[in-house]
Amino acid sequence: MDTSATPQQTVDPRWLTESQQEAWRSLVALVTRLPAALDAQLQRDSQLTHFDYFVLATVSENPQRRIQLRDLAEYANASLSRLSHVVTKLEKAGWVERESIPGSRGSYAVLTDAGMTKVVEAAPGHVGTVQSLVFEGLSDAEVEQLATLSSTLLTQLDKGIAAGTGHA
């Protein structure tokens, strides 16, 4: 067994300040509880997971209600394998069809009329839940701050992941 210390092990950690600790705990609670609440509402009212809904809604917003699976996986921040599994499930329900891309190994996810109906039926409840859980009680200025903070955090996250932070 290699007992040599890695650079991370030899440097004292930069501990969180009290205000950082408070912000971090709030963020962890948010990223844990919000997806669970969104899932619960969608499963109760529409028999969809939040990820199912996200996939259907994303395809519905694309021209001709179609998107290349590779692009959809990137947009959804999901592996192609996970996305393919969900698309197969949505195909079995009759909401999505796969369409081969001529001259390519790739394929499109194409929203069927039944899939469009499903998204249209699920959207009001989902949007109402998002309004209730996230936006009610926030001023326009706070919504703007939330957008700025979220964008900044995503940029920081992407830089860290690209640098190898958080990878096994």
Side-chain angles (χ1 to χ4, degrees):
M1 179 168 121
D2 183 10
T3 58
S4 62
T6 65
Q8 286 182 325
Q9 293 170 326
T10 59
V11 176
D12 287 336
R14 292 183 333 181
W15 297 109
L16 301 178
T17 65
E18 192 173 322
S19 62
Q20 287 173 331
Q21 185 69 264
E22 185 179 331
W24 173 243
R25 288 187 176 158
S26 292
L27 179 61
V28 168
L30 177 66
V31 300
T32 303
R33 293 170 56 191
L34 182 59
L38 294 172
D39 248 355
Q41 177 274 319
L42 282 163
Q43 287 178 0
R44 180 189 67 236
D45 298 345
S46 302
Q47 295 72 53
L48 294 169
T49 67
H50 185 247
F51 192 70
D52 295 341
Y53 177 82
F54 182 83
V55 168
L56 291 171
T58 300
V59 177
S60 78
E61 294 166 354
N62 276 270
Q64 300 174 330
R65 298 187 326 208
R66 86 171 17 119
I67 186 172
Q68 192 167 351
L69 288 177
R70 172 180 45 91
D71 296 336
L72 181 57
E74 185 177 321
Y75 187 75
N77 195 33
S79 69
L80 199 49
S81 173
R82 177 181 183 211
L83 181 69
S84 183
H85 176 73
V86 170
V87 168
T88 297
K89 174 182 153 185
L90 299 175
E91 276 183 298
K92 288 178 182 176
W95 300 328
V96 170
E97 294 174 346
R98 287 178 207 249
E99 185 179 285
S100 296
I101 299 172
S104 169
R105 290 181 45 203
S107 59
Y108 291 107
V110 181
L111 195 66
T112 64
D113 290 341
M116 188 65 180
T117 298
K118 187 67 172 176
V119 171
V120 168
E121 289 173 352
H126 175 64
V127 171
T129 300
V130 170
Q131 286 284 4
S132 173
L133 297 178
V134 178
F135 294 108
E136 286 179 12
L138 294 182
S139 68
D140 290 344
E142 288 169 326
V143 170
E144 226 175 277
Q145 288 175 326
L146 177 61
T148 300
L149 285 170
S150 297
S151 178
T152 301
L153 287 170
L154 284 170
T155 298
Q156 182 66 24
L157 180 63
D158 289 344
K159 284 195 314 194
I161 290 171
T165 302
H167 284 232

PDB file of all heavy atoms in Angstrom, residues 55-81:
ATOM      1  N   VAL A  55     -36.902  15.955 -19.527  1.00  0.00           N
ATOM      2  CA  VAL A  55     -36.605  15.419 -20.856  1.00  0.00           C
ATOM      3  C   VAL A  55     -37.746  15.743 -21.821  1.00  0.00           C
ATOM      4  O   VAL A  55     -37.516  16.260 -22.921  1.00  0.00           O
ATOM      5  CB  VAL A  55     -36.327  13.899 -20.798  1.00  0.00           C
ATOM      6  CG1 VAL A  55     -36.319  13.280 -22.191  1.00  0.00           C
ATOM      7  CG2 VAL A  55     -34.997  13.630 -20.089  1.00  0.00           C
ATOM      8  N   LEU A  56     -38.973  15.452 -21.414  1.00  0.00           N
ATOM      9  CA  LEU A  56     -40.122  15.730 -22.282  1.00  0.00           C
ATOM     10  C   LEU A  56     -40.231  17.223 -22.604  1.00  0.00           C
ATOM     11  O   LEU A  56     -40.449  17.597 -23.761  1.00  0.00           O
ATOM     12  CB  LEU A  56     -41.423  15.250 -21.626  1.00  0.00           C
ATOM     13  CG  LEU A  56     -41.608  13.736 -21.509  1.00  0.00           C
ATOM     14  CD1 LEU A  56     -42.829  13.416 -20.651  1.00  0.00           C
ATOM     15  CD2 LEU A  56     -41.723  13.083 -22.873  1.00  0.00           C
ATOM     16  N   ALA A  57     -40.082  18.060 -21.589  1.00  0.00           N
ATOM     17  CA  ALA A  57     -40.197  19.507 -21.799  1.00  0.00           C
ATOM     18  C   ALA A  57     -39.093  20.016 -22.715  1.00  0.00           C
ATOM     19  O   ALA A  57     -39.344  20.845 -23.600  1.00  0.00           O
ATOM     20  CB  ALA A  57     -40.170  20.236 -20.455  1.00  0.00           C
ATOM     21  N   THR A  58     -37.880  19.527 -22.525  1.00  0.00           N
ATOM     22  CA  THR A  58     -36.764  19.961 -23.360  1.00  0.00           C
ATOM     23  C   THR A  58     -36.989  19.586 -24.817  1.00  0.00           C
ATOM     24  O   THR A  58     -36.788  20.405 -25.716  1.00  0.00           O
ATOM     25  CB  THR A  58     -35.433  19.361 -22.851  1.00  0.00           C
ATOM     26  OG1 THR A  58     -35.228  19.807 -21.503  1.00  0.00           O
ATOM     27  CG2 THR A  58     -34.266  19.795 -23.705  1.00  0.00           C
ATOM     28  N   VAL A  59     -37.429  18.358 -25.057  1.00  0.00           N
ATOM     29  CA  VAL A  59     -37.691  17.935 -26.435  1.00  0.00           C
ATOM     30  C   VAL A  59     -38.816  18.790 -27.021  1.00  0.00           C
ATOM     31  O   VAL A  59     -38.744  19.225 -28.175  1.00  0.00           O
ATOM     32  CB  VAL A  59     -38.019  16.432 -26.514  1.00  0.00           C
ATOM     33  CG1 VAL A  59     -38.368  16.035 -27.944  1.00  0.00           C
ATOM     34  CG2 VAL A  59     -36.850  15.585 -26.005  1.00  0.00           C
ATOM     35  N   SER A  60     -39.832  19.090 -26.216  1.00  0.00           N
ATOM     36  CA  SER A  60     -40.980  19.868 -26.708  1.00  0.00           C
ATOM     37  C   SER A  60     -40.588  21.281 -27.129  1.00  0.00           C
ATOM     38  O   SER A  60     -41.244  21.872 -27.987  1.00  0.00           O
ATOM     39  CB  SER A  60     -42.086  19.942 -25.652  1.00  0.00           C
ATOM     40  OG  SER A  60     -41.792  20.893 -24.641  1.00  0.00           O
ATOM     41  N   GLU A  61     -39.534  21.811 -26.543  1.00  0.00           N
ATOM     42  CA  GLU A  61     -39.107  23.187 -26.814  1.00  0.00           C
ATOM     43  C   GLU A  61     -38.182  23.298 -28.026  1.00  0.00           C
ATOM     44  O   GLU A  61     -37.827  24.400 -28.430  1.00  0.00           O
ATOM     45  CB  GLU A  61     -38.416  23.766 -25.574  1.00  0.00           C
ATOM     46  CG  GLU A  61     -39.365  23.922 -24.397  1.00  0.00           C
ATOM     47  CD  GLU A  61     -38.654  24.170 -23.079  1.00  0.00           C
ATOM     48  OE1 GLU A  61     -37.398  24.118 -23.035  1.00  0.00           O
ATOM     49  OE2 GLU A  61     -39.358  24.400 -22.080  1.00  0.00           O
ATOM     50  N   ASN A  62     -37.780  22.181 -28.585  1.00  0.00           N
ATOM     51  CA  ASN A  62     -36.878  22.182 -29.735  1.00  0.00           C
ATOM     52  C   ASN A  62     -37.665  22.179 -31.039  1.00  0.00           C
ATOM     53  O   ASN A  62     -38.788  21.677 -31.096  1.00  0.00           O
ATOM     54  CB  ASN A  62     -35.933  20.982 -29.673  1.00  0.00           C
ATOM     55  CG  ASN A  62     -34.745  21.271 -28.803  1.00  0.00           C
ATOM     56  OD1 ASN A  62     -33.730  21.751 -29.280  1.00  0.00           O
ATOM     57  ND2 ASN A  62     -34.875  21.026 -27.495  1.00  0.00           N
ATOM     58  N   PRO A  63     -37.039  22.719 -32.107  1.00  0.00           N
ATOM     59  CA  PRO A  63     -37.717  22.735 -33.407  1.00  0.00           C
ATOM     60  C   PRO A  63     -38.157  21.332 -33.806  1.00  0.00           C
ATOM     61  O   PRO A  63     -37.418  20.365 -33.618  1.00  0.00           O
ATOM     62  CB  PRO A  63     -36.643  23.271 -34.366  1.00  0.00           C
ATOM     63  CG  PRO A  63     -35.702  24.034 -33.491  1.00  0.00           C
ATOM     64  CD  PRO A  63     -35.710  23.324 -32.155  1.00  0.00           C
ATOM     65  N   GLN A  64     -39.338  21.245 -34.330  1.00  0.00           N
ATOM     66  CA  GLN A  64     -39.936  19.980 -34.773  1.00  0.00           C
ATOM     67  C   GLN A  64     -40.043  18.961 -33.638  1.00  0.00           C
ATOM     68  O   GLN A  64     -40.124  17.760 -33.877  1.00  0.00           O
ATOM     69  CB  GLN A  64     -39.183  19.404 -35.972  1.00  0.00           C
ATOM     70  CG  GLN A  64     -39.178  20.329 -37.164  1.00  0.00           C
ATOM     71  CD  GLN A  64     -38.315  19.808 -38.291  1.00  0.00           C
ATOM     72  OE1 GLN A  64     -37.318  19.108 -38.079  1.00  0.00           O
ATOM     73  NE2 GLN A  64     -38.708  20.134 -39.514  1.00  0.00           N
ATOM     74  N   ARG A  65     -39.975  19.452 -32.391  1.00  0.00           N
ATOM     75  CA  ARG A  65     -40.069  18.596 -31.194  1.00  0.00           C
ATOM     76  C   ARG A  65     -39.096  17.418 -31.279  1.00  0.00           C
ATOM     77  O   ARG A  65     -39.412  16.280 -30.969  1.00  0.00           O
ATOM     78  CB  ARG A  65     -41.504  18.103 -30.994  1.00  0.00           C
ATOM     79  CG  ARG A  65     -42.468  19.224 -30.757  1.00  0.00           C
ATOM     80  CD  ARG A  65     -43.860  18.827 -30.381  1.00  0.00           C
ATOM     81  NE  ARG A  65     -44.385  17.611 -30.957  1.00  0.00           N
ATOM     82  CZ  ARG A  65     -45.672  17.395 -31.174  1.00  0.00           C
ATOM     83  NH1 ARG A  65     -46.558  18.316 -30.878  1.00  0.00           N
ATOM     84  NH2 ARG A  65     -46.086  16.256 -31.686  1.00  0.00           N
ATOM     85  N   ARG A  66     -37.848  17.733 -31.658  1.00  0.00           N
ATOM     86  CA  ARG A  66     -36.814  16.698 -31.772  1.00  0.00           C
ATOM     87  C   ARG A  66     -35.467  17.280 -31.364  1.00  0.00           C
ATOM     88  O   ARG A  66     -35.194  18.449 -31.567  1.00  0.00           O
ATOM     89  CB  ARG A  66     -36.774  16.111 -33.168  1.00  0.00           C
ATOM     90  CG  ARG A  66     -35.916  16.858 -34.151  1.00  0.00           C
ATOM     91  CD  ARG A  66     -35.707  16.140 -35.475  1.00  0.00           C
ATOM     92  NE  ARG A  66     -36.631  15.091 -35.716  1.00  0.00           N
ATOM     93  CZ  ARG A  66     -37.487  15.040 -36.730  1.00  0.00           C
ATOM     94  NH1 ARG A  66     -37.506  15.988 -37.624  1.00  0.00           N
ATOM     95  NH2 ARG A  66     -38.315  14.029 -36.872  1.00  0.00           N
ATOM     96  N   ILE A  67     -34.631  16.408 -30.782  1.00  0.00           N
ATOM     97  CA  ILE A  67     -33.286  16.802 -30.393  1.00  0.00           C
ATOM     98  C   ILE A  67     -32.409  15.556 -30.433  1.00  0.00           C
ATOM     99  O   ILE A  67     -32.862  14.447 -30.118  1.00  0.00           O
ATOM    100  CB  ILE A  67     -33.266  17.460 -28.993  1.00  0.00           C
ATOM    101  CG1 ILE A  67     -31.872  18.001 -28.639  1.00  0.00           C
ATOM    102  CG2 ILE A  67     -33.786  16.512 -27.932  1.00  0.00           C
ATOM    103  CD1 ILE A  67     -31.822  18.842 -27.363  1.00  0.00           C
ATOM    104  N   GLN A  68     -31.175  15.746 -30.837  1.00  0.00           N
ATOM    105  CA  GLN A  68     -30.231  14.627 -30.865  1.00  0.00           C
ATOM    106  C   GLN A  68     -29.976  14.173 -29.431  1.00  0.00           C
ATOM    107  O   GLN A  68     -29.795  15.001 -28.523  1.00  0.00           O
ATOM    108  CB  GLN A  68     -28.931  15.054 -31.549  1.00  0.00           C
ATOM    109  CG  GLN A  68     -28.039  13.888 -31.875  1.00  0.00           C
ATOM    110  CD  GLN A  68     -26.905  14.269 -32.821  1.00  0.00           C
ATOM    111  OE1 GLN A  68     -26.874  15.358 -33.370  1.00  0.00           O
ATOM    112  NE2 GLN A  68     -25.978  13.347 -32.995  1.00  0.00           N
ATOM    113  N   LEU A  69     -29.967  12.879 -29.204  1.00  0.00           N
ATOM    114  CA  LEU A  69     -29.796  12.338 -27.855  1.00  0.00           C
ATOM    115  C   LEU A  69     -28.507  12.841 -27.201  1.00  0.00           C
ATOM    116  O   LEU A  69     -28.500  13.160 -26.004  1.00  0.00           O
ATOM    117  CB  LEU A  69     -29.827  10.811 -27.874  1.00  0.00           C
ATOM    118  CG  LEU A  69     -31.188  10.177 -28.121  1.00  0.00           C
ATOM    119  CD1 LEU A  69     -31.067   8.657 -28.192  1.00  0.00           C
ATOM    120  CD2 LEU A  69     -32.184  10.580 -27.057  1.00  0.00           C
ATOM    121  N   ARG A  70     -27.441  12.922 -27.969  1.00  0.00           N
ATOM    122  CA  ARG A  70     -26.164  13.407 -27.437  1.00  0.00           C
ATOM    123  C   ARG A  70     -26.322  14.826 -26.891  1.00  0.00           C
ATOM    124  O   ARG A  70     -25.845  15.150 -25.805  1.00  0.00           O
ATOM    125  CB  ARG A  70     -25.105  13.361 -28.540  1.00  0.00           C
ATOM    126  CG  ARG A  70     -23.789  14.004 -28.208  1.00  0.00           C
ATOM    127  CD  ARG A  70     -22.809  13.913 -29.379  1.00  0.00           C
ATOM    128  NE  ARG A  70     -23.378  14.249 -30.681  1.00  0.00           N
ATOM    129  CZ  ARG A  70     -23.380  15.478 -31.212  1.00  0.00           C
ATOM    130  NH1 ARG A  70     -22.853  16.487 -30.570  1.00  0.00           N
ATOM    131  NH2 ARG A  70     -23.892  15.690 -32.412  1.00  0.00           N
ATOM    132  N   ASP A  71     -27.035  15.682 -27.619  1.00  0.00           N
ATOM    133  CA  ASP A  71     -27.243  17.063 -27.187  1.00  0.00           C
ATOM    134  C   ASP A  71     -28.170  17.129 -25.977  1.00  0.00           C
ATOM    135  O   ASP A  71     -27.958  17.925 -25.062  1.00  0.00           O
ATOM    136  CB  ASP A  71     -27.822  17.904 -28.327  1.00  0.00           C
ATOM    137  CG  ASP A  71     -26.866  18.029 -29.502  1.00  0.00           C
ATOM    138  OD1 ASP A  71     -25.631  17.885 -29.303  1.00  0.00           O
ATOM    139  OD2 ASP A  71     -27.342  18.271 -30.630  1.00  0.00           O
ATOM    140  N   LEU A  72     -29.176  16.279 -25.977  1.00  0.00           N
ATOM    141  CA  LEU A  72     -30.107  16.233 -24.850  1.00  0.00           C
ATOM    142  C   LEU A  72     -29.388  15.781 -23.582  1.00  0.00           C
ATOM    143  O   LEU A  72     -29.605  16.342 -22.501  1.00  0.00           O
ATOM    144  CB  LEU A  72     -31.277  15.300 -25.176  1.00  0.00           C
ATOM    145  CG  LEU A  72     -32.360  15.156 -24.118  1.00  0.00           C
ATOM    146  CD1 LEU A  72     -32.970  16.493 -23.738  1.00  0.00           C
ATOM    147  CD2 LEU A  72     -33.438  14.189 -24.621  1.00  0.00           C
ATOM    148  N   ALA A  73     -28.511  14.797 -23.704  1.00  0.00           N
ATOM    149  CA  ALA A  73     -27.748  14.325 -22.547  1.00  0.00           C
ATOM    150  C   ALA A  73     -26.880  15.444 -21.983  1.00  0.00           C
ATOM    151  O   ALA A  73     -26.810  15.639 -20.761  1.00  0.00           O
ATOM    152  CB  ALA A  73     -26.886  13.116 -22.932  1.00  0.00           C
ATOM    153  N   GLU A  74     -26.238  16.186 -22.866  1.00  0.00           N
ATOM    154  CA  GLU A  74     -25.399  17.295 -22.420  1.00  0.00           C
ATOM    155  C   GLU A  74     -26.238  18.368 -21.735  1.00  0.00           C
ATOM    156  O   GLU A  74     -25.893  18.850 -20.669  1.00  0.00           O
ATOM    157  CB  GLU A  74     -24.641  17.892 -23.613  1.00  0.00           C
ATOM    158  CG  GLU A  74     -23.654  18.965 -23.217  1.00  0.00           C
ATOM    159  CD  GLU A  74     -22.864  19.485 -24.408  1.00  0.00           C
ATOM    160  OE1 GLU A  74     -22.496  18.680 -25.283  1.00  0.00           O
ATOM    161  OE2 GLU A  74     -22.634  20.703 -24.450  1.00  0.00           O
ATOM    162  N   TYR A  75     -27.354  18.708 -22.336  1.00  0.00           N
ATOM    163  CA  TYR A  75     -28.231  19.732 -21.779  1.00  0.00           C
ATOM    164  C   TYR A  75     -28.776  19.308 -20.416  1.00  0.00           C
ATOM    165  O   TYR A  75     -28.894  20.113 -19.502  1.00  0.00           O
ATOM    166  CB  TYR A  75     -29.378  20.028 -22.752  1.00  0.00           C
ATOM    167  CG  TYR A  75     -30.240  21.181 -22.332  1.00  0.00           C
ATOM    168  CD1 TYR A  75     -29.788  22.502 -22.457  1.00  0.00           C
ATOM    169  CD2 TYR A  75     -31.506  20.982 -21.811  1.00  0.00           C
ATOM    170  CE1 TYR A  75     -30.576  23.564 -22.062  1.00  0.00           C
ATOM    171  CE2 TYR A  75     -32.305  22.041 -21.416  1.00  0.00           C
ATOM    172  CZ  TYR A  75     -31.829  23.325 -21.540  1.00  0.00           C
ATOM    173  OH  TYR A  75     -32.610  24.379 -21.146  1.00  0.00           O
ATOM    174  N   ALA A  76     -29.107  18.020 -20.288  1.00  0.00           N
ATOM    175  CA  ALA A  76     -29.666  17.487 -19.047  1.00  0.00           C
ATOM    176  C   ALA A  76     -28.595  17.139 -18.022  1.00  0.00           C
ATOM    177  O   ALA A  76     -28.920  16.716 -16.916  1.00  0.00           O
ATOM    178  CB  ALA A  76     -30.502  16.252 -19.351  1.00  0.00           C
ATOM    179  N   ASN A  77     -27.318  17.324 -18.408  1.00  0.00           N
ATOM    180  CA  ASN A  77     -26.201  16.973 -17.532  1.00  0.00           C
ATOM    181  C   ASN A  77     -26.310  15.511 -17.080  1.00  0.00           C
ATOM    182  O   ASN A  77     -26.174  15.195 -15.912  1.00  0.00           O
ATOM    183  CB  ASN A  77     -26.121  17.919 -16.331  1.00  0.00           C
ATOM    184  CG  ASN A  77     -24.794  17.814 -15.622  1.00  0.00           C
ATOM    185  OD1 ASN A  77     -23.766  17.568 -16.242  1.00  0.00           O
ATOM    186  ND2 ASN A  77     -24.797  17.989 -14.313  1.00  0.00           N
ATOM    187  N   ALA A  78     -26.607  14.645 -18.036  1.00  0.00           N
ATOM    188  CA  ALA A  78     -26.776  13.223 -17.754  1.00  0.00           C
ATOM    189  C   ALA A  78     -25.880  12.427 -18.688  1.00  0.00           C
ATOM    190  O   ALA A  78     -25.555  12.877 -19.782  1.00  0.00           O
ATOM    191  CB  ALA A  78     -28.234  12.818 -17.975  1.00  0.00           C
ATOM    192  N   SER A  79     -25.511  11.251 -18.243  1.00  0.00           N
ATOM    193  CA  SER A  79     -24.756  10.373 -19.130  1.00  0.00           C
ATOM    194  C   SER A  79     -25.682   9.921 -20.253  1.00  0.00           C
ATOM    195  O   SER A  79     -26.910   9.881 -20.092  1.00  0.00           O
ATOM    196  CB  SER A  79     -24.240   9.152 -18.369  1.00  0.00           C
ATOM    197  OG  SER A  79     -25.325   8.312 -18.001  1.00  0.00           O
ATOM    198  N   LEU A  80     -25.088   9.593 -21.379  1.00  0.00           N
ATOM    199  CA  LEU A  80     -25.876   9.087 -22.503  1.00  0.00           C
ATOM    200  C   LEU A  80     -26.591   7.798 -22.095  1.00  0.00           C
ATOM    201  O   LEU A  80     -27.728   7.553 -22.506  1.00  0.00           O
ATOM    202  CB  LEU A  80     -24.974   8.874 -23.724  1.00  0.00           C
ATOM    203  CG  LEU A  80     -25.650   8.785 -25.075  1.00  0.00           C
ATOM    204  CD1 LEU A  80     -26.642   9.924 -25.313  1.00  0.00           C
ATOM    205  CD2 LEU A  80     -24.621   8.762 -26.182  1.00  0.00           C
ATOM    206  N   SER A  81     -25.957   7.000 -21.251  1.00  0.00           N
ATOM    207  CA  SER A  81     -26.556   5.757 -20.779  1.00  0.00           C
ATOM    208  C   SER A  81     -27.807   6.030 -19.949  1.00  0.00           C
ATOM    209  O   SER A  81     -28.853   5.408 -20.157  1.00  0.00           O
ATOM    210  CB  SER A  81     -25.524   4.988 -19.951  1.00  0.00           C
ATOM    211  OG  SER A  81     -26.114   3.873 -19.349  1.00  0.00           O
TER     212      SER A  81
END
